[in-house]
Amino acid sequence: MDRRQFFKTAGATTAGVAAATTLATPALSQGIKEMVIVSTWPRDFPGLGIPAQRLAARIAELTEGRINVQYFAAGERVGAFDSFDEVASGNAQAYIAADYYWKGKHPGWAPFTAIPFGMTYTEIDAWIKYGGGQELWDELAGEFGLKNFAMGNTGVQMGGWFNKEINSPDDLKGLKMRIPGLGGDVMSKLGVSPVSLPGSQIYENLVSGAIDATEWVGPYNDFFMKFYEAAKYYYWPGMHEPGAQLALGMNKKFHDSLSKIDQQIIKAACNEENAQTMAETNANNGAYLDRLVKDHGVQLREFNDDVYSAFGEAALEVIEEARDHSPLSKKIYDAVTAKTKEIGSWTALSDMAYVQKRNTFFNNG
Ligand code: CA
């Protein structure tokens, strides 16, 4: 299947379903594997939906028709947050998502996306590939019949959009905020009511006043969400997702049924898209931040030390509670805590220190 065929097949819900019906018989007879991918992102959505579609198309392209990929964006086959069950049950073969959405199934999922005060992109990439992260991910995913790979990252996230200034921890009390993962649990300890809404539903809830605040990603991704129409204060830096890792979660039986070369191709395509998504995000965030401020009157605000201290204290409690869930959770959280310290000791002396000095002397900041 070439790219044109793929996008034609995956073009719309009804077309996708019809194609599945008509293709099933010849595909089986030729030994072609059907791979239905469901995603938690809206279709054609810059920065998240497009990378997911790009990975789906790439798997189809590189396997030269041996894997017939059908891609369904959020809501086209199942709701965003039903993706996990759809794949674990074998109804679909893979999801593309942020694994912290599944923290209610097991808190061990959160560190494979992000935890508050956790790892940046370069750090989590190092942990997964060379620090034992993938092995722990395999152990957890295996308990649910899944096999997961890193397939994208959007770097350090902004703290979120607020309809008023946050000058002290007290200003957070009583707010309803869209913030998933353990970041939501941190906010909860500070008196916020956290809500976990899929991307497609955030804007309407913010405009209607059903929520007072939201986080999403960063300037490039957030620009297209038009949050600036309802909340002018854009806070930085986010403590909740310092390097949110996106994932391809495959049904393990399906993964293991593939030939060795097709397993390798999927892994390689995920690696490729992981770097691609980060590059796309990094290339655009600065320019889109500028547009948000100059064209849409967005007010940038830095969380002050009082607010950040409150985040830190709450995060310690939240991480401790997640760690206490089970022996596997303890194993994962102990590992991520130790590796954040070990890998992060170099980030502090390299990227962090260098960029500060560069921007001081060359006025790039
Ligand atoms: Ca986010």
Side-chain angles (χ1 to χ4, degrees):
M1 173 180 274
D2 63 26
R3 274 175 184 270
R4 206 171 49 228
Q5 281 174 301
F6 166 77
F7 282 113
K8 201 176 161 192
T9 305
T13 315
T14 46
V17 171
T21 313
T22 52
L23 283 177
T25 309
L28 279 175
S29 64
Q30 293 163 26
I32 292 170
K33 296 281 187 181
E34 296 292 331
M35 184 178 186
V36 171
I37 302 179
V38 290
S39 154
T40 51
W41 321 126
R43 180 167 289 279
D44 295 333
F45 196 76
L48 291 169
I50 289 172
Q53 289 159 227
R54 201 159 51 201
L55 175 63
R58 192 73 169 137
I59 291 169
E61 181 183 27
L62 291 176
T63 56
E64 298 183 308
R66 294 188 302 277
I67 298 180
N68 184 41
V69 178
Q70 292 182 77
Y71 175 85
F72 297 90
E76 291 180 357
R77 180 180 170 105
V78 289
F81 294 155
D82 293 324
S83 301
F84 185 97
D85 291 339
E86 186 75 352
V87 176
S89 68
N91 280 341
Q93 282 66 51
Y95 65 70
I96 296 176
D99 272 345
Y100 68 179
Y101 289 144
W102 328 128
K103 77 179 173 76
K105 295 181 184 296
H106 196 296
W109 284 110
F112 298 103
T113 304
I115 57 170
F117 295 86
M119 296 181 180
T120 64
Y121 164 67
T122 51
E123 291 168 347
I124 198 167
D125 197 42
W127 176 54
I128 288 172
K129 289 175 182 156
Y130 282 95
Q134 183 70 56
E135 290 78 0
L136 285 170
W137 206 357
D138 287 348
E139 188 175 342
L140 174 66
E143 293 204 352
F144 295 87
L146 298 170
K147 166 70 184 171
N148 291 35
F149 293 113
M151 62 65 63
N153 199 304
T154 50
V156 177
Q157 299 200 354
M158 290 292 280
W161 298 84
F162 294 82
N163 59 16
K164 63 169 193 174
E165 288 191 76
I166 306 299
N167 295 315
S168 79
D170 280 348
D171 292 330
L172 293 165
K173 284 181 183 158
L175 291 183
K176 278 187 87 172
M177 180 176 185
R178 184 271 180 187
I179 175 167
L182 297 194
D185 298 338
V186 169
M187 285 298 193
S188 176
K189 287 193 182 290
L190 299 175
V192 172
S193 300
V195 189
S196 192
L197 291 169
S200 59
Q201 293 170 26
I202 304 173
Y203 175 82
E204 66 200 53
N205 279 279
L206 193 62
V207 169
S208 74
I211 56 173
D212 306 298
T214 185
E215 67 78 57
W216 180 235
V217 182
Y220 173 51
N221 295 265
D222 293 9
F223 179 89
F224 297 97
M225 300 293 261
K226 298 189 175 175
F227 297 142
Y228 51 79
E229 291 179 359
K232 285 286 180 203
Y233 298 103
Y234 196 22
Y235 271 85
W236 63 277
M239 54 79 195
H240 59 301
E241 296 187 63
Q245 182 63 66
L246 311 178
L248 175 79
M250 298 178 71
N251 180 286
K252 192 170 186 306
K253 276 186 191 159
F254 172 74
H255 172 269
D256 294 349
S257 78
L258 298 174
S259 65
K260 290 289 175 216
I261 186 68
D262 287 347
Q263 289 178 5
Q264 290 298 314
I265 284 173
I266 289 173
K267 189 178 173 186
C270 285
N271 259 322
E272 180 186 64
E273 188 51 50
N274 200 51
Q276 197 83 357
T277 306
M278 192 66 258
E280 184 187 351
T281 309
N282 280 335
N284 285 294
N285 268 338
Y288 278 87
L289 182 63
D290 201 45
R291 288 179 66 176
L292 284 168
V293 171
K294 288 183 181 157
D295 300 346
H296 299 287
V298 168
Q299 302 280 312
L300 279 180
R301 293 286 186 278
E302 183 179 2
F303 284 127
N304 64 32
D305 290 348
D306 279 354
V307 173
Y308 238 87
S309 295
F311 287 155
E313 284 167 25
L316 285 172
E317 288 178 30
V318 164
I319 289 166
E320 198 57 34
E321 286 160 15
R323 182 179 172 276
D324 288 345
H325 169 269
S326 57
L328 180 54
S329 211
K330 180 180 184 305
K331 194 172 164 185
I332 292 169
Y333 280 88
D334 283 352
V336 84
T337 301
K339 286 294 174 181
T340 303
K341 198 171 170 187
E342 183 185 310
I343 297 169
S345 68
W346 174 240
T347 315
L349 268 64
S350 56
D351 290 32
M352 194 176 85
Y354 166 73
V355 172
Q356 265 186 351
K357 291 184 190 302
R358 181 190 66 188
N359 289 1
T360 300
F361 290 107
F362 290 89
N363 200 25
N364 291 326

